[in-house]
Amino acid sequence: RDAEVTFWLVNTLGQRVRTGTARRETAGEHAYRLSTAGLAPGVYVVQVTVTTGAGARQYHRTLTVAE
């Protein structure tokens, strides 16, 4: 089943600091690169939205950026 995948990086204030391009993907495992260059050290949340004909699901993962 195909899905549109969108991802972004959110800081602790809830602001989107990086946004990935929406992509159409087939079912399976996929890898993405999201640059952290220029970000202050700290904790961020990676939010991923996967949208199919059946609806949308959101996934969240924590990312720590060190110096």
Side-chain angles (χ1 to χ4, degrees):
R1 177 185 279 187
D2 286 354
E4 182 176 281
V5 178
T6 307
F7 55 96
W8 53 89
L9 195 58
V10 179
N11 65 16
T12 55
L13 299 176
Q15 302 166 321
R16 290 183 183 179
V17 294
R18 294 283 189 277
T19 301
T21 304
R23 300 181 187 188
R24 190 133 247 359
E25 298 287 2
T26 58
E29 224 175 278
H30 301 278
Y32 298 94
R33 289 182 183 255
L34 191 61
S35 175
T36 58
L39 292 178
V43 176
Y44 296 84
V45 175
V46 179
Q47 295 182 332
V48 179
T49 300
V50 178
T51 306
T52 65
R57 294 189 100 157
Q58 286 198 351
Y59 302 91
H60 303 89
R61 295 291 181 262
T62 302
L63 170 71
T64 302
V65 175
E67 287 187 53

